[in-house]
Amino acid sequence: AQSVTQLDSQVPVFEEAPVELRCNYSSSVSVYLFWYVQYPNQGLQLLLKYLSGSTLVESINGFEAEFNKSQTSFHLRKPSVHISDTAEYFCAVGPSGTYKYIFGTGTRLKVLA
Amino acid sequence: DSGVTQTPKHLITATGQRVTLRCSPRSGDLSVYWYQQSLDQGLQFLIQYYNGEERAKGNILERFSAQQFPDLHSELNLSSLELGDSALYFCASSVGAEPYNEQFFGPGTRLTVL
């Protein structure tokens, strides 16, 4: 069975500091990987995704994630965070050959001034 | 604005009652997903429909049912409601049914069961 683990439920970080949000998955088949962001009182929206090709993917607002097959990880990073990055971040896995989408439990990123 | 609409935004009801949540997908999207988000269980996938047919089932209770209509809107029916069903229910849509498709989420319906 497939699963997604986000080890950190909350991550506080000061503005302009770097941050890494961790995501590990378990799957017996190849997967598509996603990071979604949920701002307060809103639905989720896609931040970035890995389908194939280059293992490093970037978003338009400075986040990046690297697919590491050997470690089954897809950690999200940003070199310098802003107050506006305060949100909940969800890692998701879409196992190929299925129609399922599995979300992690989410990580609340709180950026402090 | 994702283009996915959900009604109502808020719903307050009593235990034992039945409610219907409605979702209209983005124009052109054939796939609809339903999720339940609660503080203790996180974001749980309930069910997926593609072009009117059920495609995948997650942790959906037998008291819950859903359908997708010919105009592609979807409804989630929750019956014999319990206090623990209080949650935020999200609908999402995508172009196709495959897991590599980006999902676009609606703003959610907040259900409170008293």
Side-chain angles (χ1 to χ4, degrees), chain B residues 4-96:
Chain B
V4 178
T5 60
Q6 289 186 249
T7 55
K9 287 191 84 164
H10 302 277
L11 199 47
I12 300 174
T13 188
T15 54
Q17 294 299 304
R18 173 189 169 94
V19 297
T20 297
L21 312 184
R22 183 188 167 102
C23 168
S24 293
R26 281 189 333 153
S27 176
D29 283 358
L30 299 179
S31 203
V32 169
Y33 309 77
W34 285 99
Y35 294 89
Q36 180 193 58
Q37 186 178 35
S38 59
L39 284 174
D40 55 341
Q41 300 238 7
L43 191 64
Q44 298 279 318
F45 166 69
L46 296 178
I47 198 164
Q48 178 199 7
Y49 280 84
Y50 177 76
N51 205 20
E53 292 189 7
E54 182 184 307
R55 269 302 163 99
K57 225 168 183 176
N59 302 323
I60 188 165
L61 300 172
E62 283 194 17
R63 300 183 285 109
F64 295 2
S65 65
Q67 55 184 324
Q68 186 180 28
F69 295 86
D71 68 352
L72 301 177
H73 91 271
S74 177
E75 291 180 358
L76 179 67
N77 299 295
L78 315 176
S79 61
S80 302
L81 284 168
E82 302 175 359
L83 295 177
D85 297 328
S86 295
L88 199 49
Y89 290 84
F90 284 109
C91 166
S93 72
S94 65
V95 169

Coordinates of all heavy atoms in Angstrom, one line a residue, chain B residues 4-96:
Chain B
V4 N -13.6 26.1 -9.3 CA -14.4 25.1 -8.7 C -15.3 25.8 -7.7 O -14.9 26.5 -6.8 CB -13.6 24.0 -8.0 CG1 -14.5 23.0 -7.4 CG2 -12.6 23.4 -9.0
T5 N -16.6 25.5 -7.8 CA -17.6 26.1 -6.8 C -18.2 25.0 -6.0 O -18.5 23.9 -6.4 CB -18.7 26.9 -7.5 OG1 -19.4 26.0 -8.4 CG2 -18.1 28.0 -8.4
Q6 N -18.4 25.4 -4.7 CA -19.0 24.5 -3.8 C -20.1 25.2 -3.0 O -19.9 26.4 -2.6 CB -18.0 24.0 -2.8 CG -17.0 23.0 -3.3 CD -16.1 22.4 -2.2 OE1 -14.9 22.7 -2.2 NE2 -16.7 21.5 -1.4
T7 N -21.2 24.6 -2.8 CA -22.3 25.2 -2.0 C -22.9 24.1 -1.1 O -22.9 22.9 -1.4 CB -23.5 25.7 -2.9 OG1 -23.9 24.6 -3.8 CG2 -23.0 26.9 -3.8
P8 N -23.3 24.5 0.1 CA -23.2 25.8 0.7 C -21.8 26.0 1.2 O -21.0 25.1 1.3 CB -24.2 25.8 1.8 CG -24.3 24.4 2.2 CD -24.0 23.5 1.0
K9 N -21.5 27.2 1.7 CA -20.2 27.4 2.3 C -20.2 26.9 3.8 O -19.2 26.4 4.2 CB -19.9 28.9 2.4 CG -19.5 29.5 1.0 CD -19.0 31.0 1.2 CE -17.5 31.0 1.5 NZ -16.9 32.3 1.3
H10 N -21.3 27.1 4.4 CA -21.4 26.6 5.8 C -22.7 25.8 5.9 O -23.7 26.2 5.3 CB -21.4 27.7 6.8 CG -20.2 28.6 6.7 ND1 -19.1 28.3 7.4 CD2 -20.0 29.8 6.1 CE1 -18.2 29.3 7.1 NE2 -18.7 30.2 6.3
L11 N -22.7 24.8 6.8 CA -23.9 24.0 7.0 C -23.9 23.6 8.5 O -22.9 23.0 9.0 CB -23.9 22.8 6.1 CG -25.1 22.0 5.8 CD1 -26.3 22.9 5.4 CD2 -24.8 21.0 4.7
I12 N -25.0 23.9 9.2 CA -25.1 23.5 10.6 C -26.3 22.6 10.7 O -27.4 23.0 10.3 CB -25.2 24.7 11.5 CG1 -24.0 25.6 11.4 CG2 -25.3 24.2 13.0 CD1 -24.1 26.9 12.2
T13 N -26.1 21.4 11.3 CA -27.3 20.5 11.3 C -27.1 19.7 12.6 O -26.2 19.8 13.4 CB -27.3 19.6 10.1 OG1 -28.5 18.8 10.1 CG2 -26.1 18.7 10.0
A14 N -28.1 18.8 12.8 CA -28.1 18.0 14.0 C -27.8 16.6 13.7 O -27.8 16.1 12.6 CB -29.5 18.1 14.7
T15 N -27.4 15.9 14.8 CA -27.1 14.4 14.6 C -28.3 13.7 14.1 O -29.4 14.0 14.4 CB -26.6 13.8 16.0 OG1 -27.6 14.0 16.9 CG2 -25.3 14.4 16.4
G16 N -28.0 12.7 13.3 CA -29.1 11.9 12.7 C -29.6 12.4 11.4 O -30.3 11.7 10.7
Q17 N -29.3 13.7 11.1 CA -29.8 14.3 9.9 C -29.1 13.9 8.6 O -28.0 13.2 8.7 CB -29.8 15.8 10.0 CG -30.7 16.4 11.1 CD -32.2 16.0 10.8 OE1 -32.7 16.3 9.8 NE2 -32.8 15.3 11.8
R18 N -29.6 14.3 7.5 CA -28.9 14.1 6.2 C -28.7 15.4 5.5 O -29.6 16.3 5.5 CB -29.9 13.2 5.3 CG -29.4 12.9 3.9 CD -30.5 12.2 3.1 NE -30.3 12.2 1.7 CZ -29.7 11.2 1.1 NH1 -29.3 10.1 1.7 NH2 -29.5 11.3 -0.2
V19 N -27.6 15.5 4.8 CA -27.3 16.8 4.1 C -26.7 16.4 2.7 O -26.2 15.3 2.5 CB -26.3 17.7 4.8 CG1 -26.8 18.1 6.2 CG2 -24.9 17.0 5.0
T20 N -26.8 17.4 1.8 CA -26.2 17.2 0.5 C -25.3 18.4 0.2 O -25.7 19.6 0.3 CB -27.3 17.2 -0.6 OG1 -28.1 16.0 -0.3 CG2 -26.7 17.0 -2.0
L21 N -24.0 18.1 -0.2 CA -23.1 19.1 -0.6 C -22.9 19.0 -2.1 O -22.9 18.0 -2.7 CB -21.7 18.8 0.1 CG -21.7 18.5 1.6 CD1 -20.3 18.3 2.1 CD2 -22.4 19.5 2.4
R22 N -22.8 20.2 -2.7 CA -22.8 20.3 -4.1 C -21.5 20.9 -4.6 O -20.9 21.8 -4.0 CB -23.9 21.2 -4.6 CG -24.1 21.3 -6.1 CD -25.1 22.3 -6.5 NE -25.0 22.6 -7.9 CZ -25.8 22.1 -8.9 NH1 -26.8 21.3 -8.6 NH2 -25.6 22.4 -10.1
C23 N -21.0 20.4 -5.8 CA -19.8 20.8 -6.4 C -19.9 21.0 -7.9 O -20.4 20.1 -8.5 CB -18.7 19.8 -6.1 SG -17.1 20.0 -7.0
S24 N -19.4 22.1 -8.4 CA -19.4 22.3 -9.8 C -17.9 22.4 -10.2 O -17.2 23.3 -9.7 CB -20.1 23.6 -10.3 OG -21.5 23.4 -10.0
P25 N -17.4 21.5 -11.1 CA -16.0 21.5 -11.5 C -15.7 22.7 -12.4 O -16.6 23.4 -12.9 CB -15.9 20.2 -12.2 CG -17.2 19.9 -12.8 CD -18.2 20.4 -11.8
R26 N -14.4 22.8 -12.6 CA -13.9 23.8 -13.6 C -14.5 23.4 -15.0 O -14.6 22.3 -15.3 CB -12.4 23.8 -13.7 CG -11.7 24.5 -12.6 CD -10.2 24.6 -13.0 NE -9.7 23.5 -13.8 CZ -8.7 23.7 -14.7 NH1 -8.0 24.8 -14.7 NH2 -8.3 22.6 -15.4
S27 N -14.7 24.4 -15.8 CA -15.1 24.2 -17.1 C -14.1 23.3 -17.9 O -12.9 23.6 -17.9 CB -15.3 25.5 -17.9 OG -15.6 25.3 -19.2
G28 N -14.6 22.2 -18.4 CA -13.7 21.3 -19.2 C -13.2 20.1 -18.4 O -12.6 19.2 -18.9
D29 N -13.3 20.2 -17.0 CA -12.8 19.1 -16.2 C -13.8 18.0 -16.1 O -15.0 18.3 -15.9 CB -12.4 19.6 -14.8 CG -11.1 20.4 -14.8 OD1 -10.5 20.5 -15.8 OD2 -10.8 20.9 -13.7
L30 N -13.3 16.8 -16.3 CA -14.3 15.6 -16.3 C -14.2 14.9 -14.9 O -15.1 14.1 -14.6 CB -13.9 14.7 -17.4 CG -14.0 15.2 -18.8 CD1 -13.6 14.2 -19.8 CD2 -15.4 15.7 -19.1
S31 N -13.2 15.1 -14.2 CA -13.0 14.3 -13.0 C -13.3 15.2 -11.7 O -12.9 16.4 -11.7 CB -11.5 13.9 -12.9 OG -11.3 12.8 -12.1
V32 N -14.0 14.6 -10.8 CA -14.3 15.3 -9.5 C -13.9 14.4 -8.4 O -14.1 13.2 -8.4 CB -15.8 15.6 -9.4 CG1 -16.2 16.0 -8.0 CG2 -16.2 16.6 -10.4
Y33 N -13.3 15.0 -7.4 CA -12.8 14.3 -6.2 C -13.5 15.0 -4.9 O -13.7 16.2 -4.9 CB -11.3 14.5 -6.0 CG -10.5 14.1 -7.2 CD1 -10.3 15.0 -8.2 CD2 -9.7 13.0 -7.2 CE1 -9.6 14.7 -9.3 CE2 -8.9 12.7 -8.3 CZ -8.9 13.6 -9.4 OH -8.1 13.3 -10.5
W34 N -13.7 14.2 -3.9 CA -14.2 14.7 -2.7 C -13.2 14.3 -1.5 O -12.7 13.2 -1.5 CB -15.6 14.1 -2.3 CG -16.7 14.6 -3.1 CD1 -17.3 14.1 -4.2 CD2 -17.4 15.9 -2.8 NE1 -18.3 14.9 -4.7 CE2 -18.4 16.0 -3.8 CE3 -17.3 16.9 -1.9 CZ2 -19.3 17.1 -3.9 CZ3 -18.1 17.9 -1.9 CH2 -19.1 18.1 -2.9
Y35 N -13.0 15.3 -0.7 CA -12.1 15.1 0.5 C -12.8 15.6 1.7 O -13.6 16.5 1.7 CB -10.8 15.9 0.3 CG -9.9 15.5 -0.9 CD1 -10.1 16.0 -2.2 CD2 -8.9 14.5 -0.7 CE1 -9.3 15.6 -3.2 CE2 -8.1 14.1 -1.7 CZ -8.3 14.6 -3.0 OH -7.5 14.2 -4.0
Q36 N -12.3 15.0 2.8 CA -12.8 15.5 4.2 C -11.5 15.9 4.9 O -10.5 15.2 5.0 CB -13.4 14.3 4.9 CG -13.9 14.7 6.3 CD -14.3 13.4 7.1 OE1 -13.5 12.5 7.3 NE2 -15.5 13.3 7.6
Q37 N -11.6 17.1 5.5 CA -10.5 17.6 6.2 C -10.9 17.9 7.7 O -11.8 18.8 7.9 CB -9.9 18.9 5.6 CG -8.6 19.4 6.3 CD -8.0 20.6 5.7 OE1 -8.7 21.5 5.2 NE2 -6.7 20.7 5.6
S38 N -10.3 17.2 8.6 CA -10.6 17.5 10.0 C -9.3 17.6 10.8 O -8.3 17.2 10.3 CB -11.5 16.3 10.6 OG -10.8 15.1 10.5
L39 N -9.4 18.2 12.0 CA -8.2 18.5 12.7 C -7.5 17.2 13.1 O -6.3 17.1 13.1 CB -8.5 19.3 14.0 CG -8.8 20.7 13.7 CD1 -9.3 21.4 15.0 CD2 -7.5 21.4 13.2
D40 N -8.3 16.1 13.5 CA -7.6 14.9 14.0 C -7.2 13.9 12.9 O -6.3 13.1 13.1 CB -8.6 14.2 15.0 CG -9.9 13.9 14.4 OD1 -10.3 14.6 13.4 OD2 -10.7 13.1 15.0
Q41 N -7.9 14.0 11.7 CA -7.6 13.0 10.7 C -6.9 13.6 9.4 O -6.5 12.9 8.5 CB -8.9 12.4 10.2 CG -9.6 11.7 11.3 CD -9.9 10.2 10.9 OE1 -9.4 9.7 9.9 NE2 -10.6 9.5 11.8
G42 N -6.7 14.9 9.4 CA -6.1 15.5 8.3 C -7.0 15.5 7.0 O -8.2 15.5 7.1
L43 N -6.3 15.5 5.9 CA -7.1 15.5 4.6 C -7.2 14.1 4.1 O -6.3 13.4 3.8 CB -6.3 16.3 3.6 CG -7.0 16.7 2.3 CD1 -8.2 17.6 2.5 CD2 -6.0 17.3 1.3
Q44 N -8.5 13.6 4.1 CA -8.8 12.3 3.7 C -9.5 12.2 2.3 O -10.5 12.9 2.2 CB -9.7 11.6 4.7 CG -9.1 11.5 6.1 CD -8.2 10.4 6.3 OE1 -8.5 9.3 5.8 NE2 -7.0 10.6 6.9
F45 N -9.0 11.4 1.4 CA -9.7 11.2 0.1 C -10.9 10.4 0.3 O -10.8 9.3 1.0 CB -8.7 10.6 -0.8 CG -9.3 10.0 -2.1 CD1 -9.8 10.9 -3.0 CD2 -9.3 8.7 -2.3 CE1 -10.4 10.4 -4.2 CE2 -9.9 8.1 -3.4 CZ -10.5 9.0 -4.4
L46 N -12.0 10.8 -0.2 CA -13.2 10.1 -0.1 C -13.6 9.3 -1.3 O -13.7 8.0 -1.3 CB -14.4 11.0 0.3 CG -14.3 11.7 1.6 CD1 -15.5 12.7 1.8 CD2 -14.2 10.8 2.8
I47 N -13.7 10.0 -2.4 CA -14.1 9.3 -3.7 C -13.8 10.2 -4.9 O -13.7 11.4 -4.8 CB -15.7 9.0 -3.6 CG1 -16.1 7.9 -4.6 CG2 -16.5 10.3 -3.7 CD1 -17.5 7.3 -4.3
Q48 N -13.7 9.5 -6.0 CA -13.4 10.2 -7.3 C -14.4 9.7 -8.3 O -14.7 8.5 -8.4 CB -12.0 9.9 -7.8 CG -11.7 10.6 -9.1 CD -10.5 10.0 -9.8 OE1 -10.0 9.0 -9.4 NE2 -10.1 10.6 -10.9
Y49 N -14.9 10.6 -9.1 CA -15.7 10.3 -10.3 C -15.1 10.9 -11.5 O -14.4 11.9 -11.5 CB -17.1 10.9 -10.2 CG -18.0 10.1 -9.3 CD1 -18.0 10.3 -7.9 CD2 -18.9 9.2 -9.8 CE1 -18.8 9.5 -7.1 CE2 -19.7 8.4 -9.0 CZ -19.6 8.6 -7.6 OH -20.4 7.8 -6.8
Y50 N -15.3 10.2 -12.6 CA -14.8 10.6 -13.9 C -15.9 10.5 -14.9 O -16.3 9.3 -15.2 CB -13.5 9.9 -14.3 CG -13.0 10.2 -15.7 CD1 -12.3 11.4 -15.9 CD2 -13.2 9.4 -16.8 CE1 -11.9 11.8 -17.1 CE2 -12.8 9.8 -18.1 CZ -12.1 11.0 -18.2 OH -11.6 11.4 -19.5
N51 N -16.3 11.6 -15.5 CA -17.3 11.6 -16.5 C -18.5 10.7 -16.1 O -19.1 10.0 -17.0 CB -16.7 11.0 -17.8 CG -17.5 11.6 -19.1 OD1 -18.2 12.6 -19.0 ND2 -17.3 10.9 -20.2
G52 N -19.0 10.9 -14.9 CA -20.2 10.2 -14.4 C -20.0 8.9 -13.8 O -20.9 8.3 -13.2
E53 N -18.8 8.3 -13.9 CA -18.5 7.0 -13.3 C -17.6 7.1 -12.1 O -16.6 7.8 -12.2 CB -18.0 6.1 -14.4 CG -19.0 5.8 -15.5 CD -18.4 4.7 -16.4 OE1 -17.4 4.1 -16.1 OE2 -19.1 4.4 -17.4
E54 N -17.8 6.2 -11.1 CA -16.9 6.2 -10.0 C -15.6 5.6 -10.4 O -15.6 4.5 -11.1 CB -17.6 5.3 -8.9 CG -16.7 5.2 -7.7 CD -17.3 4.2 -6.7 OE1 -18.5 4.4 -6.3 OE2 -16.6 3.3 -6.2
R55 N -14.5 6.2 -10.1 CA -13.2 5.8 -10.5 C -12.3 5.2 -9.3 O -11.5 4.3 -9.5 CB -12.4 6.9 -11.2 CG -12.5 7.0 -12.6 CD -12.2 5.7 -13.4 NE -12.7 5.7 -14.7 CZ -12.0 6.0 -15.8 NH1 -10.7 6.3 -15.7 NH2 -12.5 5.9 -17.0
A56 N -12.4 5.9 -8.2 CA -11.6 5.4 -7.1 C -12.4 5.7 -5.8 O -13.1 6.7 -5.7 CB -10.3 6.1 -7.1
K57 N -12.1 4.9 -4.8 CA -12.8 5.0 -3.5 C -11.7 5.1 -2.4 O -10.8 4.3 -2.4 CB -13.7 3.9 -3.3 CG -15.1 4.2 -2.8 CD -16.0 3.0 -2.8 CE -17.4 3.4 -2.4 NZ -18.4 2.3 -2.5
G58 N -11.9 6.0 -1.5 CA -11.0 6.1 -0.4 C -11.7 5.7 0.9 O -12.4 4.7 0.9
N59 N -11.4 6.5 1.9 CA -12.0 6.2 3.2 C -13.4 6.7 3.4 O -13.7 7.5 4.3 CB -11.1 6.8 4.3 CG -9.7 6.3 4.2 OD1 -9.5 5.2 3.9 ND2 -8.7 7.2 4.5
I60 N -14.3 6.4 2.5 CA -15.7 6.9 2.5 C -16.5 5.9 3.3 O -16.5 4.7 3.1 CB -16.2 7.1 1.1 CG1 -17.6 7.8 1.2 CG2 -16.3 5.8 0.3 CD1 -18.0 8.4 -0.1
L61 N -17.3 6.5 4.3 CA -18.1 5.7 5.1 C -19.4 5.2 4.3 O -19.8 5.8 3.3 CB -18.6 6.5 6.3 CG -17.5 7.0 7.3 CD1 -18.1 8.0 8.3 CD2 -16.8 5.9 8.0
E62 N -20.0 4.1 4.8 CA -21.2 3.6 4.1 C -22.3 4.6 4.2 O -23.2 4.6 3.3 CB -21.6 2.3 4.7 CG -20.7 1.2 4.2 CD -21.3 -0.2 4.5 OE1 -22.5 -0.3 4.8 OE2 -20.5 -1.2 4.5
R63 N -22.3 5.5 5.2 CA -23.4 6.5 5.4 C -23.2 7.6 4.4 O -24.1 8.4 4.2 CB -23.3 7.1 6.8 CG -23.5 6.1 7.9 CD -23.5 6.8 9.3 NE -22.2 7.2 9.7 CZ -21.7 8.5 9.8 NH1 -22.6 9.4 9.4 NH2 -20.5 8.8 10.2
F64 N -22.1 7.6 3.7 CA -21.9 8.7 2.7 C -22.0 8.1 1.3 O -21.6 7.0 1.1 CB -20.4 9.2 2.9 CG -20.2 10.0 4.2 CD1 -21.1 10.1 5.2 CD2 -18.9 10.5 4.4 CE1 -20.8 10.7 6.4 CE2 -18.6 11.2 5.6 CZ -19.6 11.3 6.6
S65 N -22.5 8.9 0.4 CA -22.6 8.5 -1.0 C -22.4 9.7 -1.9 O -22.5 10.9 -1.4 CB -23.9 7.8 -1.3 OG -25.0 8.8 -1.2
A66 N -22.0 9.5 -3.1 CA -21.8 10.6 -4.0 C -22.2 10.2 -5.4 O -22.4 9.0 -5.7 CB -20.3 11.0 -4.0
Q67 N -22.4 11.2 -6.3 CA -22.7 10.9 -7.7 C -22.2 12.1 -8.5 O -22.1 13.2 -8.0 CB -24.1 10.5 -7.9 CG -25.1 11.6 -7.4 CD -26.6 11.1 -7.7 OE1 -26.9 10.4 -8.7 NE2 -27.5 11.4 -6.7
Q68 N -22.0 11.8 -9.8 CA -21.7 12.9 -10.7 C -22.7 12.8 -11.8 O -23.0 11.8 -12.4 CB -20.3 12.7 -11.3 CG -19.8 13.8 -12.2 CD -18.4 13.7 -12.8 OE1 -18.0 12.6 -13.0 NE2 -17.8 14.8 -13.1
F69 N -23.3 14.0 -12.1 CA -24.4 14.0 -13.0 C -23.9 14.3 -14.4 O -22.8 14.6 -14.7 CB -25.4 15.2 -12.5 CG -26.0 14.9 -11.2 CD1 -25.4 15.2 -10.0 CD2 -27.2 14.2 -11.2 CE1 -26.0 14.9 -8.8 CE2 -27.8 13.9 -9.9 CZ -27.2 14.3 -8.8
P70 N -24.8 14.1 -15.4 CA -24.4 14.4 -16.8 C -23.8 15.7 -17.1 O -23.0 15.9 -18.0 CB -25.7 14.2 -17.6 CG -26.5 13.2 -16.7 CD -26.2 13.5 -15.3
D71 N -24.2 16.7 -16.3 CA -23.6 18.1 -16.6 C -22.3 18.2 -15.8 O -21.7 19.3 -15.8 CB -24.6 19.2 -16.2 CG -24.8 19.2 -14.7 OD1 -24.4 18.3 -13.9 OD2 -25.5 20.2 -14.2
L72 N -21.8 17.1 -15.2 CA -20.6 17.0 -14.5 C -20.5 17.5 -13.1 O -19.5 17.3 -12.4 CB -19.4 17.5 -15.3 CG -19.2 16.9 -16.7 CD1 -18.1 17.6 -17.5 CD2 -19.0 15.4 -16.6
H73 N -21.6 18.2 -12.7 CA -21.6 18.6 -11.3 C -21.7 17.3 -10.4 O -22.2 16.3 -10.9 CB -22.6 19.6 -11.0 CG -23.9 19.1 -10.5 ND1 -25.0 18.8 -11.4 CD2 -24.4 18.9 -9.3 CE1 -26.0 18.4 -10.7 NE2 -25.7 18.4 -9.4
S74 N -21.3 17.5 -9.2 CA -21.3 16.3 -8.3 C -22.0 16.7 -6.9 O -22.0 17.8 -6.5 CB -19.9 15.8 -8.0 OG -19.8 14.7 -7.1
E75 N -22.5 15.7 -6.3 CA -23.1 15.9 -5.0 C -22.6 14.8 -4.1 O -22.4 13.6 -4.5 CB -24.6 15.8 -5.1 CG -25.3 17.0 -5.8 CD -26.8 16.9 -5.9 OE1 -27.4 15.9 -5.4 OE2 -27.3 17.9 -6.4
L76 N -22.3 15.2 -2.8 CA -21.9 14.3 -1.8 C -23.0 14.3 -0.7 O -23.4 15.3 -0.2 CB -20.6 14.8 -1.1 CG -20.1 13.9 0.0 CD1 -19.6 12.5 -0.5 CD2 -18.9 14.6 0.7
N77 N -23.6 13.1 -0.5 CA -24.7 13.0 0.4 C -24.2 12.3 1.7 O -23.5 11.3 1.7 CB -25.8 12.1 -0.1 CG -26.4 12.7 -1.4 OD1 -27.0 13.7 -1.4 ND2 -26.2 12.0 -2.5
L78 N -24.5 13.0 2.8 CA -24.0 12.5 4.1 C -25.3 12.2 5.0 O -26.1 13.1 5.2 CB -23.1 13.5 4.8 CG -22.1 14.2 4.0 CD1 -21.3 15.3 4.8 CD2 -21.1 13.2 3.5
S79 N -25.4 11.0 5.4 CA -26.7 10.7 6.2 C -26.3 10.1 7.6 O -25.2 9.8 7.9 CB -27.5 9.6 5.4 OG -26.7 8.4 5.3
S80 N -27.4 10.1 8.4 CA -27.2 9.6 9.8 C -26.0 10.3 10.4 O -25.2 9.7 11.0 CB -27.1 8.1 9.9 OG -28.2 7.4 9.3
L81 N -26.0 11.6 10.3 CA -24.8 12.4 10.7 C -24.5 12.2 12.2 O -25.4 12.1 13.1 CB -25.0 13.8 10.4 CG -24.9 14.2 8.9 CD1 -25.4 15.6 8.7 CD2 -23.5 14.0 8.5
E82 N -23.2 12.1 12.5 CA -22.6 12.0 13.8 C -21.8 13.2 14.1 O -21.3 13.9 13.2 CB -21.8 10.7 13.9 CG -22.6 9.5 13.6 CD -21.7 8.2 13.6 OE1 -20.5 8.4 13.8 OE2 -22.3 7.1 13.4
L83 N -21.5 13.5 15.4 CA -20.7 14.6 15.8 C -19.3 14.6 15.0 O -18.8 15.6 14.6 CB -20.5 14.6 17.3 CG -21.7 14.8 18.1 CD1 -21.3 14.8 19.6 CD2 -22.4 16.2 17.8
G84 N -18.8 13.4 14.9 CA -17.5 13.2 14.3 C -17.5 13.5 12.8 O -16.4 13.6 12.2
D85 N -18.6 13.8 12.2 CA -18.6 14.1 10.8 C -18.4 15.6 10.5 O -18.3 16.0 9.4 CB -20.0 13.7 10.1 CG -20.3 12.2 10.2 OD1 -19.3 11.4 10.1 OD2 -21.4 11.8 10.3
S86 N -18.4 16.3 11.6 CA -18.0 17.8 11.5 C -16.7 17.9 10.9 O -15.7 17.4 11.5 CB -18.1 18.4 12.9 OG -19.4 18.4 13.4
A87 N -16.6 18.7 9.8 CA -15.3 18.8 9.1 C -15.5 19.8 8.0 O -16.6 20.3 7.7 CB -14.9 17.4 8.6
L88 N -14.4 20.0 7.3 CA -14.4 20.8 6.1 C -14.4 19.8 4.9 O -13.5 18.9 4.9 CB -13.2 21.7 6.0 CG -13.1 22.9 5.1 CD1 -14.3 23.8 5.2 CD2 -11.8 23.7 5.4
Y89 N -15.3 19.9 4.0 CA -15.4 19.0 2.9 C -15.0 19.8 1.6 O -15.6 20.8 1.3 CB -16.8 18.4 2.8 CG -17.1 17.5 3.9 CD1 -17.6 17.9 5.1 CD2 -16.9 16.1 3.7 CE1 -17.8 17.1 6.2 CE2 -17.2 15.2 4.8 CZ -17.6 15.7 6.0 OH -17.9 14.9 7.0
F90 N -14.0 19.2 1.0 CA -13.5 19.9 -0.3 C -13.9 19.0 -1.5 O -13.8 17.8 -1.4 CB -12.0 20.0 -0.2 CG -11.5 21.1 0.6 CD1 -10.8 20.8 1.8 CD2 -11.6 22.4 0.3 CE1 -10.3 21.8 2.6 CE2 -11.1 23.4 1.1 CZ -10.5 23.1 2.3
C91 N -14.2 19.7 -2.5 CA -14.3 19.1 -3.8 C -13.1 19.6 -4.7 O -12.7 20.8 -4.5 CB -15.6 19.6 -4.5 SG -15.8 19.2 -6.2
A92 N -12.6 18.8 -5.5 CA -11.6 19.2 -6.4 C -11.9 18.6 -7.8 O -12.7 17.6 -7.9 CB -10.2 18.6 -6.0
S93 N -11.4 19.2 -8.9 CA -11.6 18.7 -10.2 C -10.3 18.7 -11.0 O -9.3 19.4 -10.6 CB -12.7 19.5 -10.9 OG -12.2 20.8 -11.3
S94 N -10.2 17.8 -12.0 CA -9.1 17.8 -12.9 C -9.6 17.4 -14.3 O -10.7 16.9 -14.4 CB -8.0 16.8 -12.4 OG -8.5 15.5 -12.4
V95 N -8.7 17.6 -15.2 CA -9.0 17.3 -16.6 C -9.3 15.8 -16.8 O -10.3 15.4 -17.4 CB -7.9 17.8 -17.6 CG1 -8.2 17.3 -19.0 CG2 -7.9 19.3 -17.6
G96 N -8.3 15.0 -16.3 CA -8.4 13.6 -16.5 C -8.5 12.9 -15.2 O -8.5 13.5 -14.1

